Amino acid sequence: MSARPVMARRWLACLLLAAAGAHAQSAVSPPPGSPVERALATEQPVSLWSRDPERVRTDAGDRLEPQRVLSESFETVKLRNVIPPIHFESGVAKIPPDSVETLRKALEALRERQNVRLHLVGHADSQPLSPTLARAFGDNAGLSRERAGEVAEFLKRALGLAPEGIAYEWAG
């Protein structure tokens, strides 16, 4: 064998090693933001993302026990005419003093109940309002709205109800 082919082979081997080294160098440090592939290290065990319940029992020695949870259940009870009718003086929206005591007695029966919701309906008589009352309430519908609102506010404060615990409407 002559020295020339051996030299050519060595030169070719060096050229291939240099090219491989240059290519390997570019794979090690890609430019920031470019997509790359990485291999997981083989010396670290792979950890599962989710655990099989059977494996949890055997690994940790724990056991899962289903248990019944007692929860408070609410019974919905609709009562009508819990609050007795309030008879207002003609053209007045303020609750009469004798009705306040009647309301307090009705409230005592409701005080122990949970999650109370009240719905009130205000009324007015059919007599036309005087000019002074017409300026204050507009008409009989305004007067009945004001009466229902007065009673709603009284009951809301007395029972400590949330705003959604009481609703009212008026019938004129």
Side-chain angles (χ1 to χ4, degrees):
M1 209 184 249
S2 72
R4 202 171 193 167
V6 171
M7 281 296 254
R9 278 191 217 130
R10 283 187 186 162
W11 183 78
L12 184 60
C14 286
L15 186 64
L16 286 174
L17 282 173
H23 180 63
Q25 187 71 340
S26 69
V28 172
S29 55
S34 62
V36 295
E37 286 187 27
R38 299 201 191 270
L40 293 175
T42 57
E43 65 272 358
Q44 294 179 349
V46 177
S47 60
L48 298 173
W49 285 25
S50 63
R51 305 281 312 249
D52 177 31
E54 188 59 39
R55 189 164 179 183
V56 169
R57 275 187 226 121
T58 57
D59 288 354
D62 294 338
R63 63 178 195 266
L64 300 174
E65 279 187 28
Q67 298 227 342
R68 283 196 173 171
V69 178
L70 298 177
S71 65
E72 192 174 339
S73 64
F74 292 102
E75 179 185 350
T76 302
V77 177
K78 290 188 178 186
L79 304 174
R80 293 189 175 275
N81 301 323
V82 174
I83 307 295
I86 299 171
H87 298 285
F88 291 85
E89 294 178 34
S90 183
V92 177
K94 186 169 172 56
I95 301 172
D98 60 329
S99 293
V100 171
E101 187 57 37
T102 306
L103 284 173
R104 289 193 195 283
K105 288 178 184 174
L107 291 176
E108 287 304 316
L110 296 174
R111 200 168 300 282
E112 297 302 317
R113 294 191 179 268
Q114 295 181 347
N115 202 19
V116 172
R117 304 257 192 267
L118 295 175
H119 183 84
L120 307 169
V121 181
H123 293 277
D125 55 26
S126 61
Q127 295 180 10
L129 298 180
S130 69
T132 307
L133 292 175
R135 280 193 297 278
F137 303 115
D139 57 8
N140 279 341
L143 176 60
S144 65
R145 178 183 62 242
E146 191 66 26
R147 287 175 173 175
E150 281 286 320
V151 175
E153 278 299 314
F154 178 86
L155 295 173
K156 182 177 146 206
R157 280 192 309 272
L159 288 173
L161 296 176
E164 64 273 5
I166 194 156
Y168 64 93
E169 62 181 291
W170 52 95

